[in-house]
Amino acid sequence: MRRAIAQLLRYAGLLLGVCLALTGLTGSLLIFDHALDESLTPALRVSPSPSAASLQSVLTAAEAAAPSGSELIRLDFARQPGSPHTVRFRGAAGAGGERPLVEASVDPASGRVLALREWGQYPMSWLYRLHYTLLAGDTGKTLVGLFGLCLLFFCISGLYLWWPRRGNWKRALSIEHRRGALRLLWDSHRVAGVIAVPVLCLSALTGIAMVFAQPTAFVVGSVLETRDVPSYSVEPMGVPLPPDTLIERALQHWPGSVLKRIYFPRAEQDSVRITLRLPGELWSNHGASSVWLDPYSGEVLGEWAMPHLPAGNRLLAWIFPLHNADALGLWARWLWIIAGLMPTLLFASGGWLWWRKRQR
């Protein structure tokens, strides 16, 4: 049995190692995606300022810079002092009928547009598409999910092969450096792989859950109580309130919360959805809680407070911030980066060991 699993693991690793290595490398780079984006595009960095431009002036400047025919979708608030607000639009339809996503980065203090870019074309967004879809749309997204299943198999089967049959844990976790380079490489390959198993399994499981979101929600809902995300319609009544007023109402509803994103109405009867991070929520960049407002009256129509939702919804909300370590702090982000490099290192060392064995 062990021999058959070892053979399957060896040749499956040789066949799929490049794909898993690519997914791990791109995932590692995306852990600090916004910081890298600002480093690659210095125009995005601004001097922190205690003053702030009105949200309406930010939107006005972004809409003036956006291509003709663009539709306002949402605004992502600056993650930290010195970072820009990001206003996202759905661009006009091109020759193929597709509507690109256009992002305007705006200085929160002055309301000045710093950059106008098409999502998927600048480096970090292109890297995100490569990580999530292999640049192949829905087909590539499905393949990435299948690669996650393969990674899960590698973790479980590798752990099974490593597990000491006679309880010799010291030998199982030791690296012999006095018996030649090949033995050193083999022991390093074995021990490093086992140490990385917990993080790789968590990354694989959360990645699979994001790719196959509907089946995941069905499975979770069959075991734990879940609730559907609500939607609200309104009766158009004149001119919508300024976005600054709506933001103020949302913060009054949840004092001490941190603004993360605002979704704008696509039609006159649509409500405004504002996502926030509530006090006590562990993630830093994720907005899992929402409040819906009437854009004409400012009335609070409903809320989606993550701490008060059923267990199934809370479990589903943890998937994304666990996948990118947003919920676990800075130390976990660096740990996730190292774990993301492991498929490449294991593929390279395993391939070299296989090649030397074939030569012998």
Side-chain angles (χ1 to χ4, degrees):
M1 180 67 174
R2 293 174 65 92
R3 182 178 179 85
I5 293 178
Q7 288 282 75
L8 179 60
L9 183 64
R10 181 179 301 118
Y11 289 105
L14 290 171
L15 290 173
L16 301 174
V18 172
C19 298
L20 293 176
L22 178 64
T23 305
L25 285 172
T26 53
S28 292
L29 290 171
L30 289 171
I31 293 295
F32 292 106
D33 57 340
H34 284 75
L36 287 173
D37 187 34
E38 292 176 15
S39 297
L40 294 172
T41 310
L44 299 178
R45 294 198 295 267
V46 295
S47 299
S49 172
S51 62
S54 68
L55 198 58
Q56 184 60 61
S57 64
V58 168
L59 294 177
T60 300
E63 289 176 321
S68 177
S70 297
E71 176 187 11
L72 176 64
I73 299 177
R74 76 183 198 213
L75 181 145
D76 294 342
F77 291 92
R79 290 195 169 200
Q80 58 188 7
S83 295
H85 293 321
T86 302
V87 185
R88 178 172 285 192
F89 299 88
R90 179 72 66 181
E98 295 184 0
R99 302 186 65 185
L101 292 174
V102 179
E103 292 181 345
S105 300
V106 185
D107 183 351
S110 67
R112 178 173 57 91
V113 175
L114 306 172
L116 186 68
R117 303 179 294 176
E118 181 178 331
W119 193 91
Q121 300 303 314
Y122 60 89
M124 295 311 296
S125 64
W126 181 89
L127 194 69
Y128 184 90
R129 287 180 56 226
L130 178 63
H131 176 73
Y132 193 45
T133 69
L134 301 177
L135 308 180
D138 290 338
T139 301
K141 181 179 174 181
T142 302
L143 285 174
V144 169
L146 295 176
F147 291 155
L149 289 171
C150 293
L151 177 58
L152 200 58
F153 163 75
F154 289 152
C155 290
I156 296 172
S157 58
L159 187 62
Y160 169 76
L161 294 174
W162 166 85
W163 198 271
R165 286 179 287 183
R166 296 182 178 85
N168 190 356
W169 295 97
K170 182 178 179 180
R171 174 68 193 95
L173 292 170
S174 64
I175 297 177
E176 179 61 63
H177 61 278
R178 292 171 295 183
R179 298 176 60 182
L182 282 179
R183 181 56 182 266
L184 174 63
L185 184 61
W186 163 246
D187 283 349
S188 301
H189 175 91
R190 176 173 51 83
V191 174
V194 168
I195 293 174
V197 158
V199 176
L200 291 177
C201 279
L202 184 58
S203 297
L205 284 170
T206 52
I208 293 166
M210 288 192 296
V211 170
F212 303 114
Q214 290 184 346
T216 300
F218 174 79
V219 171
V220 172
S222 64
V223 178
L224 300 172
E225 180 188 356
T226 58
R227 187 186 305 167
D228 292 334
V229 179
S231 62
Y232 299 92
S233 298
V234 300
E235 186 70 28
M237 296 184 298
V239 179
L241 293 172
D244 300 271
T245 302
L246 298 175
I247 291 297
E248 184 180 350
R249 299 282 174 85
L251 293 176
Q252 288 174 352
H253 182 72
W254 277 330
S257 58
V258 179
L259 294 167
K260 290 300 174 183
R261 182 177 290 175
I262 176 170
Y263 293 90
F264 296 100
R266 307 288 292 274
E268 290 184 344
Q269 66 273 17
D270 290 344
S271 59
V272 173
R273 180 181 180 183
I274 300 174
T275 65
L276 309 96
R277 177 170 59 83
L278 299 184
E281 291 181 339
L282 296 180
W283 38 75
S284 58
N285 299 315
H286 188 45
S289 300
S290 298
V291 60
W292 286 264
L293 301 172
D294 184 327
Y296 303 98
S297 67
E299 177 190 357
V300 175
L301 303 174
E303 66 175 37
W304 184 261
M306 190 52 58
H308 305 142
L309 291 176
N313 293 107
R314 296 200 303 271
L315 176 61
L316 292 171
W318 273 88
I319 290 174
F320 180 70
L322 279 179
H323 188 72
N324 65 1
D326 182 35
L328 302 176
L330 184 61
W331 68 269
R333 288 175 176 266
W334 286 107
L335 180 60
W336 258 236
I337 288 176
I338 296 171
L341 299 176
M342 290 307 299
T344 301
L345 299 175
L346 294 173
F347 171 66
S349 58
W352 176 252
L353 289 167
W354 173 81
W355 177 249
R356 290 300 303 268
K357 185 176 180 181
R358 293 280 295 179
Q359 285 184 322
R360 288 184 176 184

